[in-house]
Amino acid sequence: MAKNRPASGQVRIIAGQWRSRRLPIHDLEGLRPTTDRVRETLFNWLAGDLAGARVLDCFGGSGALALEALSRYARYAKVFELQTSAAKQLQQNLVTLKCDCADVIQGDSLTLLAQAPEQGFDVVFIDPPFRKGLAEQSIRLLSQQHWLNDNAQIYVETESELAQIEVPSDWVQLKEKKAGQVIYRLYQYQPQQ
């Protein structure tokens, strides 16, 4: 295999309309698809909140989280991905699935999150490359720029050594679990009325 050409892998959709579908992904630096076990737990947590939801995936990578949400009947997904080849692969996977209710935006997530959205989101995934402080910065921007609808669910996956993360006071932690090198949490945005 050519040295500069990325090796490919696959991501499997666990449940929903595309259950057991395997889709190609590029093996790129920093790309760390959420494991099937972690995704299964996460989507059990979100089970009642996905149908008809607007979903934002702040660090798309393999697209595993956004595709799983769409497979489980989320109404729309917006996916941010920095790496051009990963963004193109995500777009191709959406075409393969005949899914026209998602947009893949190739660009820097923090730059994109610094702009206010036209419409808020019901479920947000924050699963950035590790050890770059991106989770905390994303959390701050989501709150400052009003990306969240009332009662939105926010999933945050970080390296396990990041035992504490700072979140806004109107984010209530619902769940937390550790699996190997990752710690993952689910929050709900509960704005003060």
Side-chain angles (χ1 to χ4, degrees):
M1 187 183 302
K3 195 174 179 181
N4 294 340
R5 220 165 130 216
S8 290
Q10 288 186 327
V11 65
R12 181 179 69 91
I13 297 176
I14 297 168
Q17 62 184 325
W18 303 318
R19 182 174 184 228
S20 299
R21 289 289 298 266
R22 293 184 183 277
L23 298 164
I25 59 170
H26 289 291
D27 183 15
L28 300 169
E29 186 181 340
L31 188 67
R32 186 190 32 74
T34 301
T35 65
D36 284 7
R37 192 176 88 197
V38 170
R39 268 189 297 139
E40 197 159 350
T41 300
L42 165 62
F43 284 94
N44 284 339
W45 291 349
L46 293 173
D49 298 302
L50 280 171
R54 287 176 48 79
V55 173
L56 174 65
D57 190 343
C58 297
F59 298 89
S62 69
L65 298 175
L67 293 171
E68 192 73 46
L70 289 165
S71 182
R72 296 171 189 237
Y73 304 101
R75 179 170 37 113
Y76 171 76
K78 180 174 282 209
V79 182
F80 297 155
E81 174 50 45
L82 178 62
Q83 298 185 71
T84 305
S85 57
K88 285 181 180 173
Q89 185 63 65
L90 270 166
Q91 290 165 335
Q92 183 56 53
N93 287 345
L94 289 166
V95 169
T96 298
L97 295 169
K98 297 178 175 60
C99 176
D100 61 0
C101 57
D103 291 309
V104 177
I105 313 297
Q106 193 274 314
D108 178 77
S109 296
L110 298 180
T111 302
L112 294 164
L113 288 170
Q115 305 162 38
E118 289 178 21
Q119 217 178 328
F121 290 85
D122 306 304
V123 176
V124 176
F125 300 120
I126 303 171
D127 180 13
F130 284 176
R131 297 172 188 89
K132 296 184 179 185
L134 296 171
E136 295 91 337
Q137 294 176 68
S138 301
I139 289 166
R140 206 168 30 257
L141 290 168
L142 283 168
S143 187
Q144 288 171 354
Q145 298 299 329
H146 309 289
W147 283 86
L148 305 173
N149 289 333
D150 289 0
N151 302 310
Q153 307 269 354
I154 308 104
Y155 170 76
V156 183
E157 183 176 320
T158 62
E159 58 273 27
S160 58
E161 63 263 25
L162 197 59
Q164 296 292 322
I165 56 174
E166 200 173 310
V167 299
S169 60
D170 51 13
W171 287 27
V172 176
Q173 185 172 323
L174 303 178
K175 306 274 186 181
E176 177 177 306
K177 204 160 183 180
K178 185 177 174 186
Q181 299 299 308
V182 303
I183 188 163
Y184 53 108
R185 302 168 175 99
L186 186 66
Y187 298 91
Q188 185 173 49
Y189 172 53
Q190 296 179 357
Q192 309 305 317
Q193 299 300 335

